């Protein structure tokens, strides 16, 4: 099993450009999450999904959109990138068997917006 | 509402000495508590979790954590630190009431183990 993979690993954007980050998991997990990690801020939840075709806002959703057309994939879109979106983005997944289930994280995508 | 605090941004310890990384939490009901570790340029990896039962939980790489309900704490411990334990450690909590399946993470504590 590859677990959770993220594409790309690193990207540089200019302000106003758009891009899509791809997260894929091969563990048949129902729940998927997108986080951003900034120094001193820990992990902040952007959006999440509890199943194929469903998405919901997290703590910091502004400027981002998501889609979950297939169970194994969770896409994070930036429509018009801003320097404040420079961050490391992590995708995670988990089962829906219970609140005690562990999250599995991808390796991260480093995004620099100039 | 649920929240978690990691009061130390950084913990320094000498190799071979015991280490403690602190975590306190606040929940409405009963907590499910987690520790994750992040090595440089990597994603978070699960270390251990508390669901119910014994207050001392054992996890990966020789780590353990003690659940203390009266002090609302879940401190991470290891009897003898290794240089390779140097990493960023995150505590997370889920409240078992209210139906939220989204965990709340602390800000992280950087553990530095000196040779």
């Amino acid at each position: 099993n590859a677990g959770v993979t993220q594409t790309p690993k690193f990207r540089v954007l200019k302000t106003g450009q758009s891009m899509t980050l791809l997260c894929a998991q091969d563990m048949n997990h129902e729940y998927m999450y997108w986080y951003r990690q900034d120094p001193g801020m820990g992990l902040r939840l952007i959006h999440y999904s509890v199943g194929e075709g469903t998405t919901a806002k997290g703590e910091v959703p502004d400027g981002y959109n998501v889609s979950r057309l297939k169970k194994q994939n969770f896409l994070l879109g930036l429509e018009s990138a801003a320097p404040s979106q420079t961050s490391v983005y992590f995708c995670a997944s988990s089962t829906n068997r219970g609140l005690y289930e562990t999250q599995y994280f991808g390796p991260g995508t480093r995004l620099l917006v100039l | 509402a649920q929240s978690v605090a990691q009061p130390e941004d950084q913990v320094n310890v000498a190799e071979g000495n015991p280490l403690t990384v602190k975590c306190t939490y606040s929940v409405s009901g009963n907590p499910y508590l987690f520790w994750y570790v992040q090595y440089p340029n990597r994603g978070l990896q699960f270390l251990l979790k508390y669901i119910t039962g014994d207050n001392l939980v054992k996890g990966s790489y020789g780590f353990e954590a003690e659940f203390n309900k009266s002090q609302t704490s879940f401190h991470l411990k290891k009897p003898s630190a290794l240089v390779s334990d140097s990493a960023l450690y995150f505590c997370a909590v889920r409240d078992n009431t209210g139906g939220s399946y989204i965990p709340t993470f602390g800000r992280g504590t950087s553990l530095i183990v000196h040779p």
Side-chain angles (χ1 to χ4, degrees):
Chain A
N1 285 353
V4 179
T5 58
Q6 293 182 231
T7 308
K9 290 184 170 54
F10 177 70
R11 185 75 182 268
V12 179
L13 287 180
K14 294 181 180 178
T15 297
Q17 287 184 319
S18 64
M19 77 164 294
T20 300
L21 282 68
L22 171 63
C23 175
Q25 52 94 5
D26 61 2
M27 296 172 284
N28 202 34
H29 285 171
E30 290 78 14
Y31 294 174
M32 297 187 75
Y33 316 77
W34 274 109
Y35 293 91
R36 61 177 288 173
Q37 183 180 29
D38 303 290
M41 302 292 289
L43 287 176
R44 292 185 292 172
L45 183 65
I46 305 171
H47 286 280
Y48 64 97
S49 168
V50 300
E52 182 178 325
T54 70
T55 63
K57 294 180 179 179
E59 180 185 356
V60 289
D62 293 342
Y64 305 95
N65 57 76
V66 288
S67 64
R68 183 117 181 253
L69 300 179
K70 295 182 179 181
K71 186 178 183 179
Q72 64 269 32
N73 295 338
F74 195 28
L75 278 64
L76 178 70
L78 284 72
E79 294 177 342
S80 179
S84 61
Q85 294 178 304
T86 293
S87 187
V88 182
Y89 292 86
F90 288 99
C91 176
S93 69
S94 65
T95 71
N96 67 344
R97 287 196 298 267
L99 297 177
Y100 49 81
E101 287 303 317
T102 302
Q103 289 178 297
Y104 294 81
F105 286 82
T109 294
R110 292 183 177 274
L111 177 65
L112 175 61
V113 183
L114 302 175
Chain B
Q2 61 190 31
S3 66
V4 63
Q6 294 181 242
E8 302 155 317
D9 290 334
Q10 184 171 303
V11 170
N12 291 277
V13 65
E15 188 174 31
N17 283 0
L19 69 87
T20 299
V21 182
K22 296 180 181 178
C23 172
T24 59
Y25 66 89
S26 175
V27 294
S28 302
N30 291 317
Y32 295 128
L33 293 153
F34 305 78
W35 276 103
Y36 290 84
V37 60
Q38 184 182 29
Y39 298 104
N41 300 313
R42 302 286 294 277
L44 278 69
Q45 298 176 31
F46 170 74
L47 269 181
L48 51 79
K49 65 183 174 185
Y50 171 82
I51 303 171
T52 186
D54 289 339
N55 290 340
L56 187 63
V57 179
K58 294 189 181 297
S60 306
Y61 312 121
F63 284 92
E64 58 189 25
E66 185 171 10
F67 172 66
N68 188 317
K69 188 172 184 177
S70 63
Q71 297 186 2
T72 62
S73 66
F74 189 55
H75 300 332
L76 182 69
K77 300 180 179 183
K78 187 173 182 181
S80 179
L82 299 172
V83 172
S84 57
D85 293 329
S86 298
L88 192 57
Y89 291 82
F90 289 94
C91 182
V93 66
R94 279 197 185 110
D95 191 337
N96 76 341
T97 62
S100 173
Y101 33 73
I102 305 302
T104 298
F105 283 82
R107 293 190 173 189
T109 298
S110 178
L111 173 66
I112 299 175
V113 181
H114 302 277

